[in-house]
């Protein structure tokens, strides 16, 4: 892994989770419920945590939301979930944290956007108020600069300087510079009013992958604080997944980033936990962390007219996600396991031999049998209807996990 950026040396603890300073890259997510509805918000926090989110952020935007935070925390803890809960504040965070002290002490971290807490002296005063409350409660903050809500006084001044000195910089280059300046100046102010370095995480988020890469490459050279990665609005479906994977993947490969959030726009009625799965897949694809056994499956072609291998691959993937919570409690290293579900004889046996356990299903015109390879050797030959094949293969996987990953 390359080291274009300077890796953060400061470690911040958010609840019981370490961020930066050599700790594993942390996956986080954010609820999209009305925070004033404590029951539904708590349920979503629990769902996200059980899907693998190690930090969960909630919006705190109105008095009703601030009033609900202690109840949300109680419900989450009563469900047996210890995930740190982060409060996301814009515009009125200073007021809400002051007016609702139970909210302030129930959160494990505050997110502050320095671009929308006010202008001029009022901005500094309100920002400082949030930092002082964080210091009083011993909780960290994320100084989260956004391209869409940047300090316009700073941008205007830099635009005028660019024109006056004929620097020839584009407006986007100036905005990118201003984001880094805002983050660093806000960090200095937070330190002056009482926060320690080990209480500050920084982000500079935009929606364009190329700009995100440039901003974080610059930012990582100028601070050793932990960095939160993510596009501020990645988008929906494959667009959001691809944009996040490219932007965050490049930066993580360069050694930049300590925590990641994939901000996907969910489909109507869609599962919010999708953003957690995508973040995990990005980290696992890069070999940074492992969260669940990996499944290699072929894309299909004219040799694989049957959909059996597709159905089996889907079933196996779902089965692994379903079993992982129990496996993690009972077995050690099971997340490193590799499986293969292949659809014909061309690559099927080879990929299956390379996996810990793999199955090569028959393609068009092939003998209707499915050899299974375990640790590179043929261990069984399965036959029968798709449901029978799936059940028999799952049984082989369960037996392999129990034999191979039992805690010593």
């Amino acid at each position: 892994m390359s080291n274009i950026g300077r890796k953060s040396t400061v470690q911040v603890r958010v609840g019981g989770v370490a961020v930066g300073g050599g700790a594993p890259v942390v996956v986080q997510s954010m609820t999209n419920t009305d925070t004033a509805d404590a029951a539904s918000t708590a349920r979503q926090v629990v769902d996200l945590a059980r899907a693998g989110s190690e930090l969960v952020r909630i919006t705190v935007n109105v008095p009703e939301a601030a009033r609900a935070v202690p109840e949300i925390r109680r419900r989450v803890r009563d469900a047996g979930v210890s995930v740190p809960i982060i409060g996301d504040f814009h515009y009125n965070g200073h007021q809400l944290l002051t007016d609702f002290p139970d909210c302030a002490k129930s959160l494990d971290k505050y997110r502050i956007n320095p671009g929308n807490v006010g202008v001029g002296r009022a901005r500094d005063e309100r920002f400082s108020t949030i930092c002082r409350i964080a210091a009083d409660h011993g909780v960290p903050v994320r100084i989260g600069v956004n391209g869409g809500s940047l300090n316009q006084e700073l941008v205007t001044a830099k635009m005028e300087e660019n024109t006056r000195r004929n620097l020839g910089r584009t407006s986007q280059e100036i905005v990118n510079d201003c984001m880094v300046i805002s983050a660093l100046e806000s960090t200095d102010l937070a330190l002056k009013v009482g926060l320690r370095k080990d209480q500050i995480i920084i982000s500079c988020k935009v929606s364009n992958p190329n700009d995100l890469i440039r901003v974080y490459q610059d930012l990582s050279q100028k601070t050793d604080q932990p960095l939160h990665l993510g596009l501020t609005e990645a988008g929906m479906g494959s667009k959001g997944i691809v944009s996040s994977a490219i932007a965050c993947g490049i930066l993580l490969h360069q050694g930049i980033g300590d925590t990641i959030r994939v901000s996907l726009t969910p489909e109507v009625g869609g599962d919010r936990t999708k953003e957690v799965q995508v973040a995990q897949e990005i980290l696992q694809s890069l070999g940074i962390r492992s969260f669940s056994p990996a499944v290699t499956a072929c894309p299909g072609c004219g040799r694989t007219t049957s959909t059996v291998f597709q159905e089996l691959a889907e079933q196996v993937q779902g089965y692994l996600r379903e079993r992982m919570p129990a496996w993690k409690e009972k077995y050690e290293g099971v997340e490193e396991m590799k499986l293969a579900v292949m659809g014909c004889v061309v690559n099927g046996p080879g990929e299956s031999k390379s996996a810990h356990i793999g199955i090569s299903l028959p393609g068009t015109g092939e003998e209707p049998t499915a050899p299974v390879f375990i640790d590179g050797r043929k261990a069984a030959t399965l036959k029968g209807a798709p449901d029978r094949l799936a059940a028999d293969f799952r049984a082989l996987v369960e037996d392999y996990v129990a034999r191979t990953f039992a805690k010593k």
Side-chain angles (χ1 to χ4, degrees):
M1 191 164 296
S2 58
N3 285 298
I4 291 177
R6 182 172 64 178
K7 195 68 175 172
S8 67
T9 57
V10 176
Q11 185 169 104
V12 175
R13 295 201 70 85
V14 184
V17 177
V19 180
V25 178
V26 174
V27 172
Q28 61 177 280
S29 59
M30 186 174 183
T31 61
N32 61 355
T33 55
D34 177 1
T35 307
D37 183 345
S40 65
T41 301
R43 278 196 300 271
Q44 193 171 81
V45 171
V46 169
D47 288 344
L48 290 165
R50 288 177 174 163
S53 186
E54 294 157 305
L55 304 173
V56 178
R57 183 159 40 112
I58 64 176
T59 296
V60 187
N61 57 338
V62 293
E64 292 78 11
R67 194 175 290 114
V69 168
E71 175 68 9
I72 292 166
R73 184 181 182 89
R74 184 189 67 76
R75 286 173 176 264
V76 170
R77 300 296 179 254
D78 286 350
V81 173
S82 60
V83 67
I85 301 172
I86 301 162
D88 193 67
F89 295 98
H90 297 270
Y91 307 108
N92 60 352
H94 62 291
Q95 197 66 56
L96 293 175
L97 288 167
T98 300
D99 292 348
F100 296 93
D102 285 345
C103 167
K105 70 181 182 182
S106 296
L107 294 167
D108 296 288
K109 188 177 80 170
Y110 311 151
R111 183 279 174 99
I112 321 170
N113 184 341
N116 61 24
V117 293
V119 296
R121 179 176 293 180
R123 176 184 62 247
D124 290 348
E125 289 175 351
R126 293 171 182 176
F127 179 88
S128 297
T129 295
I130 299 174
C131 292
R132 289 191 186 98
I133 293 172
D136 289 343
H137 290 287
V139 300
V141 302
R142 170 162 68 97
I143 296 172
V145 180
N146 275 1
S149 53
L150 191 55
N151 176 357
Q152 289 306 302
E153 295 169 290
L154 176 61
V155 175
T156 299
K158 290 298 181 182
M159 290 285 189
E160 291 174 350
E161 179 188 27
N162 183 60
T163 301
R164 184 175 66 255
R165 297 176 57 189
N166 195 26
L167 298 176
R169 312 209 72 200
T170 67
S171 58
Q172 188 59 57
E173 287 173 335
I174 293 170
V175 167
N176 290 349
D177 285 349
C178 287
M179 292 182 68
V180 174
I181 292 168
S182 176
L184 297 177
E185 288 182 346
S186 298
T187 299
D188 287 342
L189 179 56
L191 292 169
K192 288 177 182 175
V193 299
L195 283 178
R196 304 183 309 271
K197 291 191 72 174
D198 64 356
Q199 289 179 285
I200 300 171
I201 296 170
I202 300 175
S203 69
C204 289
K205 298 174 79 171
V206 293
S207 296
N208 180 276
N210 286 320
D211 288 322
L212 192 83
I213 293 165
R214 294 187 191 104
V215 167
Y216 274 86
Q217 286 174 339
D218 183 23
L219 181 62
S220 69
Q221 295 289 343
K222 296 175 177 176
T223 182
D224 55 2
Q225 296 297 139
L227 301 181
H228 166 123
L229 290 189
L231 296 166
T232 187
E233 296 105 8
M236 180 177 281
S238 60
K239 186 269 181 188
I241 293 171
V242 171
S243 295
S244 294
I246 288 173
C248 294
I250 288 173
L251 290 167
L252 288 164
H253 184 69
Q254 294 173 352
I256 300 170
D258 303 282
T259 178
I260 178 176
R261 190 232 166 164
V262 176
S263 301
L264 295 179
T265 303
E267 297 176 1
V268 177
D271 189 348
R272 188 67 167 180
T273 62
K274 181 72 172 179
E275 66 177 49
V276 179
Q277 295 172 9
V278 173
Q280 290 178 330
E281 290 290 350
I282 291 171
L283 294 173
Q284 187 150 334
S285 295
L286 289 167
I288 294 173
R289 289 185 67 185
S290 294
F291 297 92
S292 180
V295 178
T296 298
C298 66
C301 66
R303 294 177 179 271
T304 56
T305 54
S306 169
T307 61
V308 174
F309 84 93
Q310 296 167 298
E311 294 166 2
L312 182 58
E314 185 176 27
Q315 288 180 30
V316 168
Q317 192 73 66
Y319 164 75
L320 294 174
R321 289 200 188 101
E322 179 184 310
R323 294 293 291 139
M324 269 307 292
W327 282 351
K328 284 172 67 177
E329 293 295 321
K330 193 174 181 181
Y331 303 115
E332 188 172 8
V334 67
E335 66 276 4
E336 303 285 349
M337 182 171 64
K338 294 178 174 58
L339 293 87
V341 179
M342 305 301 292
C344 81
V345 74
V346 173
N347 291 322
E351 291 285 358
S352 296
K353 290 176 183 177
S354 297
H356 290 102
I357 178 168
I359 185 170
S360 180
L361 296 168
T364 305
E366 294 177 24
E367 184 181 351
T369 59
V372 175
F373 297 85
I374 297 178
D375 289 333
R377 296 183 178 184
K378 185 176 177 181
T381 299
L382 303 183
K383 299 180 181 181
D387 287 348
R388 175 65 182 273
L389 280 175
D392 289 346
F393 186 63
R394 286 197 300 269
L396 289 171
V397 172
E398 282 285 352
D399 179 68
Y400 182 81
V401 169
R403 287 188 293 104
T404 307
F405 298 103
K407 291 183 178 179
K408 295 180 175 60

